[in-house]
Amino acid sequence: MGNARLQAIHVHPVKSFRGLASREAVVEPWGLAGDRRWMLIDDGGKVVTQRQQPRLALAAAELLPGGVRLSAPGMEPLTVPVPLAQSTVPVEILGDKVEAVPAGEAAAHAWCSAYLGADVRLVYMDDPATRRPVDPLYARPGETVSFADGYPLLLTTTASLDALNSLVAEGDHAAEGPLPMNRFRPNLVVSGTAAWAEDGWTRVTVGEVAFRVAKPCGRCVVTTTDQAVAVRGREPLHTLGRHRLIGGKLVFGQNLVPLHAGTVRVGDPVEAVG
């Protein structure tokens, strides 16, 4: 681990939209500042992600002071301000019931619905300190999370991606590889480790910030979506199913919970405890 460094940082302002690369990011108790504070819901209040709508991979959201700027193929960009938390609506995200604030402008709902060809609404998490606790099976008291799938941050390593791509190259769908890291939509990407070293970590420090490793990340169909063209294939789930089936899940990466606030920067040294 002496050469381990933080290679990349990714923030996803709107859940399932394209990630933004950043040179540094503030770490808040519930994740990176600005990460997954917005998401789409259907007319029943359930989250809409790339699981249902692969075309979300082609949409982008730029963080602005006081809001986000949405863009997508064939759409005029739209700036959406952070809504005032005057009222909330109940939403459901992967089984969790959460209160969220609707985007205040009808234009935001119309823009998202027009792009996907489906009736969706844009909502915002106004108070991540109280709205959604981390899964109690893996949480400590008071830990909360944004609209991320389940945990404040996701960490992956370049060595493990290289190892996975070697396995893909030897398998039945070699033409789909090599896969880029954006298939896994991580927040933090670490270089300079051994392949799969993160499986044994219980705590990791990135620069000035320490994190608790909550659990391995079980992967879903989103990883099979080419983030550049929004087309699905078989990999990496086919290969993960043959080589990385752990605890009934297809595992790649580790879910993290910050132990304190701070700032992480590309190039920061990374230290881990097993």
Side-chain angles (χ1 to χ4, degrees), residues 199-211:
D199 289 350
W201 297 351
T202 60
R203 176 184 168 118
V204 59
T205 300
V206 180
E208 65 183 37
V209 186
F211 302 87

Side-chain angles (χ1 to χ4, degrees), residues 7 23 25 61 74 78 99 101 141 150 157 174 184 210 221 227 248 257 265:
Q7 185 190 71
R23 296 296 300 176
L78 178 70
E99 292 294 317
V101 181
T157 68
F184 302 95
V221 69
Q227 298 291 297
V257 179
R265 300 171 177 85

Side-chain angles (χ1 to χ4, degrees), residues 15 82 108 136 159 189:
K15 185 176 180 66
V82 170
V189 180

Side-chain angles (χ1 to χ4, degrees), residues 8 16 24 70 74 77 123 128 145 157 204 214 245 250 274:
S16 268
E24 66 177 51
L70 308 180
V123 296
V145 61
T157 68
V204 59
L245 182 61
L250 308 183

Side-chain angles (χ1 to χ4, degrees), residues 211-243:
F211 302 87
R212 180 175 66 82
V213 180
K215 67 181 289 291
C217 185
R219 309 315 306 217
C220 71
V221 69
V222 171
T223 60
T224 67
T225 305
D226 185 327
Q227 298 291 297
V229 294
V231 174
R232 284 190 175 144
R234 295 289 304 278
E235 296 294 359
L237 294 186
H238 178 76
T239 296
L240 291 175
R242 296 179 62 188
H243 299 280

Side-chain angles (χ1 to χ4, degrees), residues 138 151 154 198-199 213-219 244 246 249 251-255:
Y138 301 96
Y151 299 87
L154 172 64
E198 64 274 21
D199 289 350
V213 180
K215 67 181 289 291
C217 185
R219 309 315 306 217
R244 296 284 297 168
I246 302 173
K249 302 289 186 180
V251 168
F252 188 89
Q254 298 290 327
N255 292 299

Side-chain angles (χ1 to χ4, degrees), residues 16 55 60 70 89 112 123 167 171 176 178 225 228 230 252 260-261 266:
S16 268
R55 290 187 72 230
L70 308 180
V89 295
C112 297
V123 296
L167 294 171
E176 293 189 24
T225 305
F252 188 89
H260 56 84
V266 169

Side-chain angles (χ1 to χ4, degrees), residues 27-42:
V27 179
E28 299 173 332
W30 40 83
L32 298 183
D35 189 64
R36 296 173 170 99
R37 293 286 295 275
W38 302 79
M39 74 175 185
L40 298 179
I41 57 172
D42 63 18

